[in-house]
Amino acid sequence: MFNKNAKIELLAPAKNKESAIAAINAGADAVYIGYLCYGARSAAGNSLDDIKTTIDYAHKFKVKIYITLNTIFKDSEIGQVIDVIYDLYNIGADGIIIQDMGLLEMDLPLIPLIASTQCNNDSLEKIQFLEKTGFKRVILPREFSLDEIKNISDNTNVQLETFVHGALCVSYSGQCYLSYAIGGRSANRGECAQPCRKKYSLKDSNGKFIAKDKFLLSLKDFNLSEHIEELINAGVTSFKIEGRLKDEVYIKNIVTFYRQQIDMVLDKLDMERSSVGYSHTSFEPNPDKSFNRGFTTYFLKERNKEISAMQYSKSIGEYIGRVKDIGANYFIINNPVLHNSDGICFFDEYSELQGTKVNKVLGDKVYPNSMFAIKPNVQIYRNYDNQFNNQLINTKLQRKLPIDINIYESGDNIVFSMVDNDGISADLYIKNDYSPAKNKETALSNIQKQLAKLGDTEFVVNDLAISIKNVPFITVSELNSIRRGLIYKFQQNRAVINTQEYRTAPICNISYPIKKLDFKANIYNKYSEDFYKKRGVLEFEKAAEAQKQMNGKEVMVTKHCLKYLFNMCSKLKKKSEFKEPLFLVDEYGKEYKLDFDCKNCNMKIIY
């Protein structure tokens, strides 16, 4: 339920501790990061020591660190995972993101539980179940509309997290088995081979092709930056950026951009963010300049064809302009903003995405590494901005906590006091046996100047007040020593404040809303079997990863409907020249039957 007093969280991804610290310094209120194993991105694992370093830094700013353990586990792995969870709890982790319900049958520490989007949280009843079971937060499907989010918010009290930016999985989260069926690489085990980014053809049951060699399952990237206020009003409290495999340059740009967007909305709504400290940056963020396949709001408002990126599956970046003319080894463009070493791409006459590098730019003439397929009127995109990229690489982001320094007399002492916005303070008493200053103005100026030099610490002076009747003469070296002592004492006082969150809700045994579950419930171990049995499930099928073959099974459920994309939707009530059923055909000639649930506007791929 929407709460005006709720604190809003910007949640950033991190591949490693360097990316995590970059995200924190760029303004993230929370970071999600993977352990060495058991996360849904097997290539983004981190050691316990690196995670602890990240947590210690994050907690200085009340930034939360959530650990992704959102795969499904074998019986032999559950014990190891529980040990990992205790280790993470003991080093201060603020929550674990999970999908395997077998973990709830074990003795867990009091660490907050977050229901991964892989739990297939696609209905109010499921989300109410998760809340009553003991989850602090539920990560919503990317497919949800504003109305669906608001309905969930109005009928629950659980925290709601939603994706706002990044790559879109074409399948309903937790409902994709295409990678596993094709090559044994399970998305639910963190090994997705991304077959959705491959080329396919679409044909009918008579063998007539509707489309050939297109990226039919490839989607544009998510971008809800213009809808933050609506999402907050709908009840969302955590805004999640996708991208645990992205580099630091991407993290700096996208996190800074969303920090600015969210702060503008929070100022308007008179609401607060969930962490403290402010980021300082020297660049203007622009999401068009980072990896993107073009942007879409997906199903936030209504179904539309603009979600598809069927002509490409790689980044196209930002639109630059049209080619006006060409020479033997150059082209002229109507928007000459390209620079040496930029990467550019464009669509050739066959609608295939081509790319090359800019060698040099002279006036309005651009000299690329290759002129292949570049012709007049071709639209040029820049998918690598060399200057912008270098600027971000060389930008040292800083996050600072504003503090006040007060200097006053107390008896025979001069008190140097430091306090932050949370009321945490430190006082340093220095015996006042200094000689009176001959030049009071110079002495006061020196005190202010030296005490304000907080250097590479996480603090910045908001206000510095001096209330001393008889201004003393204190040497610069003594003032520096006083400042260092005051900062050390203040840091010690802040360090004892434990910002780690704990689970307060017990794990409860309540009835599951569905009594018969198929393999898409991802029940992979005996513990998850016990979980559902105790909660009234009468019949279930083991997870796909426990089965020998997937023939005849639904390996994907998606709201991206190819009948709709090609104007064949039954709701249009148009007579089609193509005979159903329809089939996807991959590059090796293998066919996948398509079923259409028109009532719920879903498409299913049958292996």
Side-chain angles (χ1 to χ4, degrees):
M1 187 172 295
F2 172 69
N3 178 4
K4 177 75 174 179
N5 295 319
K7 292 190 176 182
I8 303 301
E9 176 183 277
L10 171 58
L11 175 56
K15 181 178 182 178
N16 49 39
K17 70 177 181 181
E18 290 79 16
S19 293
I21 289 172
I24 294 165
N25 287 342
D29 301 304
V31 171
Y32 63 104
I33 190 170
Y35 178 62
L36 284 173
C37 45
Y38 309 130
R41 293 289 185 274
S42 59
N46 294 273
S47 69
L48 203 65
D49 285 344
D50 281 355
I51 293 175
K52 185 180 187 309
T53 298
T54 302
I55 290 171
D56 290 345
Y57 183 74
H59 283 182
K60 291 180 179 182
F61 306 99
K62 295 187 178 179
V63 170
K64 303 299 182 189
I65 300 295
Y66 307 128
I67 314 301
T68 56
L69 298 173
N70 52 337
T71 59
I72 55 176
F73 308 112
K74 299 176 182 178
D75 288 338
S76 60
E77 294 172 333
I78 287 283
Q80 299 169 10
V81 177
I82 297 301
D83 289 342
V84 167
I85 293 173
Y86 269 95
D87 288 340
L88 293 167
Y89 173 75
N90 290 332
I91 63 171
D94 297 291
I96 51 172
I97 302 171
I98 63 172
Q99 73 151 314
D100 194 322
M101 295 299 158
L103 295 175
L104 276 67
E105 290 296 294
M106 310 299 285
D107 179 23
L108 290 172
L110 295 177
I111 192 167
L113 303 176
I114 300 171
S116 170
T117 186
Q118 268 102 348
C119 293
N120 193 26
N121 313 314
D122 64 346
S123 71
L124 173 62
E125 292 74 22
K126 288 181 183 177
I127 293 172
Q128 287 174 329
F129 167 81
L130 292 167
E131 177 183 8
K132 293 174 183 176
T133 297
F135 282 85
K136 171 190 175 182
R137 175 182 295 185
V138 172
I139 305 173
L140 299 176
R142 294 167 173 90
E143 292 83 1
F144 268 11
S145 67
L146 267 174
D147 289 340
E148 288 174 306
I149 294 171
K150 189 175 187 308
N151 181 51
I152 298 294
S153 175
D154 288 345
N155 291 281
T156 62
N157 290 306
V158 70
Q159 290 181 7
L160 300 181
E161 175 184 312
T162 188
F163 287 91
V164 290
H165 195 94
L168 279 167
C169 178
V170 67
S171 172
Y172 257 106
S173 303
Q175 300 284 276
C176 186
Y177 307 90
L178 187 56
S179 174
Y180 177 72
I182 292 172
R185 291 178 58 178
S186 167
N188 284 312
R189 296 278 290 168
E191 300 170 340
C192 182
Q194 294 191 317
C196 56
R197 301 296 181 183
K198 305 293 185 181
K199 282 186 175 181
Y200 295 89
S201 295
L202 180 65
K203 71 176 186 178
D204 71 0
S205 57
N206 288 330
K208 191 173 183 179
F209 282 95
I210 303 163
K212 291 196 72 173
D213 298 325
K214 302 294 183 184
F215 298 97
L216 294 177
L217 299 178
S218 181
L219 300 179
K220 293 180 180 179
D221 289 355
F222 216 19
N223 185 331
L224 299 185
S225 59
E226 296 182 2
H227 302 278
I228 300 298
E229 183 175 354
E230 293 169 286
L231 288 163
I232 290 176
N233 288 330
V236 173
T237 55
S238 180
F239 294 91
K240 185 174 196 171
I241 298 168
E242 182 276 340
R244 279 199 297 125
L245 297 179
K246 294 293 194 294
D247 60 21
E248 282 185 58
V249 169
Y250 181 94
I251 296 300
K252 286 179 180 180
N253 185 30
I254 302 303
V255 174
T256 300
F257 175 75
Y258 274 89
R259 179 74 274 153
Q260 293 178 0
Q261 297 300 305
I262 291 174
D263 283 349
M264 285 190 292
V265 175
L266 295 184
D267 287 344
K268 178 181 177 181
L269 298 178
D270 193 25
M271 296 180 71
E272 295 182 1
R273 56 190 288 191
S274 62
S275 66
V276 298
Y278 299 94
S279 301
H280 301 267
T281 182
S282 58
F283 68 94
E284 187 63 35
N286 183 348
D288 290 335
K289 292 182 179 293
S290 287
F291 184 104
N292 74 84
R293 303 175 179 90
F295 292 121
T296 176
T297 58
Y298 210 26
F299 294 98
L300 189 71
K301 294 294 183 71
E302 59 185 11
R303 179 181 288 274
N304 64 79
K305 295 178 183 178
E306 298 305 311
I307 68 174
S308 174
M310 69 175 175
Q311 303 295 347
Y312 55 95
S313 64
K314 298 180 180 179
S315 176
I316 63 170
E318 58 180 328
Y319 176 68
I320 298 299
R322 288 184 181 272
V323 174
K324 293 171 63 178
D325 199 2
I326 62 171
N329 60 347
Y330 67 86
F331 64 87
I332 297 173
I333 196 166
N334 58 2
N335 185 19
V337 296
L338 295 171
H339 304 101
N340 297 354
S341 298
D342 282 352
I344 59 172
C345 59
F346 53 92
F347 294 98
D348 65 19
E349 59 184 311
Y350 305 105
S351 297
E352 293 286 337
L353 188 66
Q354 304 290 344
T356 188
K357 183 180 178 181
V358 175
N359 286 337
K360 64 179 179 179
V361 179
L362 296 176
D364 60 356
K365 294 179 179 179
V366 179
Y367 294 80
N369 192 50
S370 169
M371 282 292 293
F372 175 75
I374 298 178
K375 298 179 179 180
N377 289 320
V378 163
Q379 296 185 75
I380 300 293
Y381 297 81
R382 176 165 54 192
N383 55 9
Y384 182 81
D385 187 327
N386 185 58
Q387 288 189 0
F388 184 76
N389 213 60
N390 285 336
Q391 183 184 12
L392 264 66
I393 289 172
N394 295 319
T395 293
K396 183 181 179 181
L397 293 172
Q398 292 184 314
R399 184 156 176 169
K400 298 289 186 178
L401 287 162
I403 52 95
D404 292 340
I405 296 177
N406 295 297
I407 305 170
Y408 58 93
E409 293 172 302
S410 177
D412 294 334
N413 298 305
I414 298 176
V415 182
F416 294 83
S417 177
M418 184 178 285
V419 61
D420 65 16
N421 290 340
D422 292 316
I424 300 171
S425 63
D427 296 329
L428 203 62
Y429 286 79
I430 304 296
K431 189 169 181 60
N432 189 4
D433 53 7
Y434 300 105
S435 302
K438 294 180 180 178
N439 188 321
K440 293 182 179 181
E441 289 186 5
T442 300
L444 285 172
S445 177
N446 283 338
I447 293 173
Q448 287 179 319
K449 182 179 178 181
Q450 299 307 316
L451 266 293
K453 285 183 177 179
L454 301 182
D456 291 332
T457 69
E458 64 269 31
F459 310 115
V460 62
V461 174
N462 176 59
D463 183 59
L464 196 157
I466 302 176
S467 302
I468 301 176
K469 290 182 180 180
N470 299 310
V471 180
F473 171 75
I474 308 176
T475 65
V476 170
S477 61
E478 287 180 290
L479 287 171
N480 289 339
S481 178
I482 290 168
R483 183 191 65 244
R484 288 192 292 267
L486 181 60
I487 291 173
Y488 176 79
K489 191 172 183 179
F490 184 63
Q491 287 175 325
Q492 294 299 106
N493 290 349
R494 292 192 84 252
V496 300
I497 306 298
N498 186 9
T499 63
Q500 182 181 8
E501 287 199 10
Y502 302 96
R503 177 165 50 85
T504 56
I507 296 173
C508 298
N509 187 347
I510 66 166
S511 179
Y512 192 67
I514 304 171
K515 300 307 174 188
K516 182 179 178 180
L517 300 174
D518 64 13
F519 72 94
K520 294 192 291 294
N522 299 329
I523 299 172
Y524 195 39
N525 54 65
K526 63 183 180 182
Y527 304 99
S528 53
E529 289 180 22
D530 290 344
F531 176 89
Y532 286 108
K533 285 177 182 177
K534 289 179 182 179
R535 287 156 179 83
V537 174
L538 302 176
E539 187 178 340
F540 63 85
E541 186 180 4
K542 292 296 288 287
E545 291 78 5
Q547 302 189 28
K548 293 183 179 179
Q549 57 87 22
M550 296 292 289
N551 289 337
K553 293 186 180 295
E554 296 174 4
V555 291
M556 182 186 293
V557 179
T558 174
K559 289 190 76 66
H560 172 50
C561 178
L562 293 179
K563 282 178 68 174
Y564 176 80
L565 183 64
F566 290 102
N567 297 313
M568 299 165 59
C569 176
S570 59
K571 295 180 181 180
L572 296 176
K573 296 181 179 180
K574 289 182 179 181
K575 187 175 181 179
S576 175
E577 61 179 296
F578 301 105
K579 184 179 178 181
E580 294 190 38
L582 305 181
F583 297 87
L584 271 182
V585 185
D586 68 17
E587 57 187 333
Y588 304 108
K590 183 170 179 59
E591 297 183 359
Y592 307 85
K593 180 186 173 185
L594 300 180
D595 282 349
F596 296 92
D597 176 4
C598 295
K599 179 181 177 181
N600 297 304
C601 287
N602 291 332
M603 183 179 79
K604 301 175 181 179
I605 299 179
I606 312 300
Y607 186 71

